[in-house]
Amino acid sequence: MSRIDAKFAALNVEGKKAFVAYIMAGDPNYDASLEVMKGMPAAGVDVIELGLPFTDPMADGPTIQLAGQRALEAGMTLQKTLDMATEFRKTDDTTPIVLMGYYNPIYNRGVDTFLKDAKAAGIDGLIVVDLPPEEDEELCIPAQAAGLNFIRLATPTTDDARLPKVLQNTSGFVYYVSITGITGAAAAEASDVAPEVARIKAATDLPIIVGFGIRSPETAQSIASVADGAVVGSAIVGEIAAGKPASEVLSFVKSLADGAHRA
């Protein structure tokens, strides 16, 4: 059982929904992002999504694109991202970490080397948005064999014919993208999300976590109420971009987590 599986099992026993929070590793710099990351569990974060900076983040809107640029300009690399996870694990061995990014840096490092290093750093799962199910032999299946969950995105355009393919090698949880488009682009609506979550739940026993378009505690609560949890990324990254200290960023994160946990 991975840390991700264990976390969802524990939340299920408590009757609680999950709150997943995303930050870009190294934004605005290594030390500042590590401070926020270390404070997340106490702020109520159940699963941490750690963004891997990349020069061409095609699924991301301006907020997260700019975060990646800031991180790269500050010298962030794949190795330093893994170093962040290693450092986090010195004081927290239970909170799951999902590395979210694109395949190019992983391919550049070499899949086998990357998977060994990621596992050693305490990474629990991967979301690699530019590798479709047709490419599962490339990374997904080796990752599962190495003991890492491979989390897939389902979207409003994932129809009933496509859904089984998307789910076939997915583990950990399913990330349902609540809107059609890029991160941070529009507001998520529970009334739109609920039937889609039900449709996916009919096809899998995995938890369904909903992200994109969640910017307030109220939206986190409404979305978590129709799913197994909520993900917030752009809104948190926006607080960091505004130059707020870690304490203020984490206060905002706690308000979102409290919203999701009220669902």
Short mmCIF file of all heavy atoms in Angstrom, two decimals, residues 228-253:
data_model
loop_
_atom_site.label_atom_id
_atom_site.label_comp_id
_atom_site.label_asym_id
_atom_site.label_seq_id
_atom_site.Cartn_x
_atom_site.Cartn_y
_atom_site.Cartn_z
N ASP A 228 -14.36 12.91 -4.12
CA ASP A 228 -13.62 12.40 -2.96
C ASP A 228 -12.63 13.43 -2.42
O ASP A 228 -11.93 13.18 -1.44
CB ASP A 228 -12.88 11.11 -3.33
CG ASP A 228 -13.85 10.00 -3.67
OD1 ASP A 228 -14.69 9.66 -2.82
OD2 ASP A 228 -13.79 9.48 -4.81
N GLY A 229 -12.58 14.58 -3.08
CA GLY A 229 -11.69 15.63 -2.61
C GLY A 229 -11.49 16.68 -3.68
O GLY A 229 -12.02 16.57 -4.79
N ALA A 230 -10.73 17.71 -3.32
CA ALA A 230 -10.49 18.84 -4.20
C ALA A 230 -9.01 19.16 -4.27
O ALA A 230 -8.27 18.96 -3.30
CB ALA A 230 -11.26 20.07 -3.70
N VAL A 231 -8.59 19.65 -5.44
CA VAL A 231 -7.21 20.09 -5.67
C VAL A 231 -7.21 21.59 -5.92
O VAL A 231 -8.01 22.08 -6.72
CB VAL A 231 -6.58 19.43 -6.92
CG1 VAL A 231 -5.10 19.78 -7.03
CG2 VAL A 231 -6.77 17.94 -6.93
N VAL A 232 -6.29 22.30 -5.28
CA VAL A 232 -6.11 23.72 -5.59
C VAL A 232 -4.65 23.96 -5.95
O VAL A 232 -3.75 23.52 -5.22
CB VAL A 232 -6.53 24.64 -4.42
CG1 VAL A 232 -6.28 26.11 -4.79
CG2 VAL A 232 -8.00 24.41 -4.06
N GLY A 233 -4.43 24.63 -7.07
CA GLY A 233 -3.08 24.95 -7.51
C GLY A 233 -2.89 26.43 -7.79
O GLY A 233 -2.22 27.13 -7.06
N SER A 234 -3.53 26.92 -8.86
CA SER A 234 -3.29 28.30 -9.31
C SER A 234 -3.55 29.34 -8.22
O SER A 234 -2.81 30.32 -8.10
CB SER A 234 -4.15 28.61 -10.54
OG SER A 234 -3.75 27.85 -11.65
N ALA A 235 -4.60 29.14 -7.42
CA ALA A 235 -4.91 30.13 -6.39
C ALA A 235 -3.80 30.22 -5.34
O ALA A 235 -3.47 31.31 -4.87
CB ALA A 235 -6.25 29.78 -5.72
N ILE A 236 -3.22 29.06 -5.00
CA ILE A 236 -2.10 29.05 -4.03
C ILE A 236 -0.86 29.66 -4.66
O ILE A 236 -0.16 30.48 -4.05
CB ILE A 236 -1.83 27.62 -3.54
CG1 ILE A 236 -3.05 27.08 -2.77
CG2 ILE A 236 -0.57 27.56 -2.67
CD1 ILE A 236 -3.00 25.58 -2.50
N VAL A 237 -0.58 29.27 -5.90
CA VAL A 237 0.59 29.80 -6.61
C VAL A 237 0.46 31.32 -6.76
O VAL A 237 1.46 32.05 -6.68
CB VAL A 237 0.75 29.10 -7.97
CG1 VAL A 237 1.83 29.77 -8.83
CG2 VAL A 237 1.09 27.62 -7.77
N GLY A 238 -0.77 31.80 -6.95
CA GLY A 238 -1.00 33.24 -7.04
C GLY A 238 -0.63 33.98 -5.77
O GLY A 238 -0.11 35.11 -5.82
N GLU A 239 -0.89 33.36 -4.61
CA GLU A 239 -0.50 33.96 -3.33
C GLU A 239 1.02 34.05 -3.22
O GLU A 239 1.57 35.05 -2.74
CB GLU A 239 -1.04 33.11 -2.17
CG GLU A 239 -2.56 33.06 -2.08
CD GLU A 239 -3.15 34.37 -1.60
OE1 GLU A 239 -2.91 34.75 -0.45
OE2 GLU A 239 -3.86 35.01 -2.40
N ILE A 240 1.70 33.01 -3.68
CA ILE A 240 3.17 33.01 -3.66
C ILE A 240 3.70 34.07 -4.62
O ILE A 240 4.63 34.82 -4.29
CB ILE A 240 3.70 31.61 -4.04
CG1 ILE A 240 3.33 30.60 -2.95
CG2 ILE A 240 5.22 31.63 -4.27
CD1 ILE A 240 3.54 29.14 -3.34
N ALA A 241 3.07 34.18 -5.80
CA ALA A 241 3.49 35.17 -6.80
C ALA A 241 3.34 36.60 -6.28
O ALA A 241 4.10 37.49 -6.69
CB ALA A 241 2.69 35.00 -8.08
N ALA A 242 2.37 36.80 -5.39
CA ALA A 242 2.14 38.13 -4.83
C ALA A 242 3.20 38.51 -3.79
O ALA A 242 3.16 39.62 -3.25
CB ALA A 242 0.75 38.19 -4.20
N GLY A 243 4.11 37.60 -3.53
CA GLY A 243 5.21 37.90 -2.61
C GLY A 243 4.85 37.74 -1.15
O GLY A 243 5.56 38.24 -0.27
N LYS A 244 3.76 37.05 -0.87
CA LYS A 244 3.34 36.89 0.53
C LYS A 244 4.27 35.93 1.26
O LYS A 244 4.78 34.97 0.66
CB LYS A 244 1.89 36.38 0.57
CG LYS A 244 0.90 37.40 0.02
CD LYS A 244 -0.53 36.96 0.17
CE LYS A 244 -1.47 38.04 -0.38
NZ LYS A 244 -2.89 37.64 -0.29
N PRO A 245 4.49 36.17 2.55
CA PRO A 245 5.35 35.26 3.32
C PRO A 245 4.68 33.89 3.47
O PRO A 245 3.45 33.76 3.33
CB PRO A 245 5.49 35.96 4.66
CG PRO A 245 4.33 36.88 4.76
CD PRO A 245 4.00 37.30 3.36
N ALA A 246 5.49 32.90 3.82
CA ALA A 246 4.97 31.53 3.94
C ALA A 246 3.79 31.46 4.91
O ALA A 246 2.83 30.73 4.66
CB ALA A 246 6.09 30.60 4.37
N SER A 247 3.86 32.22 6.00
CA SER A 247 2.79 32.16 7.00
C SER A 247 1.44 32.57 6.41
O SER A 247 0.40 31.95 6.69
CB SER A 247 3.12 33.06 8.20
OG SER A 247 3.31 34.40 7.77
N GLU A 248 1.45 33.59 5.54
CA GLU A 248 0.20 34.05 4.91
C GLU A 248 -0.27 33.06 3.84
O GLU A 248 -1.48 32.80 3.71
CB GLU A 248 0.38 35.44 4.30
CG GLU A 248 0.43 36.56 5.33
CD GLU A 248 0.44 37.93 4.67
OE1 GLU A 248 -0.16 38.10 3.60
OE2 GLU A 248 1.09 38.83 5.24
N VAL A 249 0.66 32.52 3.09
CA VAL A 249 0.30 31.51 2.08
C VAL A 249 -0.35 30.31 2.77
O VAL A 249 -1.39 29.81 2.34
CB VAL A 249 1.55 31.06 1.27
CG1 VAL A 249 1.19 29.91 0.33
CG2 VAL A 249 2.13 32.23 0.48
N LEU A 250 0.26 29.87 3.87
CA LEU A 250 -0.24 28.70 4.57
C LEU A 250 -1.58 28.97 5.25
O LEU A 250 -2.41 28.07 5.39
CB LEU A 250 0.80 28.19 5.57
CG LEU A 250 2.04 27.57 4.90
CD1 LEU A 250 3.17 27.39 5.91
CD2 LEU A 250 1.70 26.22 4.26
N SER A 251 -1.80 30.20 5.67
CA SER A 251 -3.10 30.57 6.24
C SER A 251 -4.19 30.44 5.17
O SER A 251 -5.30 29.94 5.45
CB SER A 251 -3.04 32.00 6.78
OG SER A 251 -4.30 32.40 7.26
N PHE A 252 -3.88 30.88 3.96
CA PHE A 252 -4.81 30.73 2.83
C PHE A 252 -5.04 29.25 2.52
O PHE A 252 -6.18 28.81 2.31
CB PHE A 252 -4.26 31.46 1.61
CG PHE A 252 -5.10 31.31 0.37
CD1 PHE A 252 -6.41 31.78 0.32
CD2 PHE A 252 -4.58 30.70 -0.77
CE1 PHE A 252 -7.19 31.64 -0.83
CE2 PHE A 252 -5.35 30.56 -1.93
CZ PHE A 252 -6.66 31.03 -1.95
N VAL A 253 -3.96 28.47 2.51
CA VAL A 253 -4.07 27.03 2.26
C VAL A 253 -4.97 26.38 3.31
O VAL A 253 -5.83 25.56 2.98
CB VAL A 253 -2.67 26.37 2.27
CG1 VAL A 253 -2.79 24.84 2.26
CG2 VAL A 253 -1.85 26.83 1.06
#
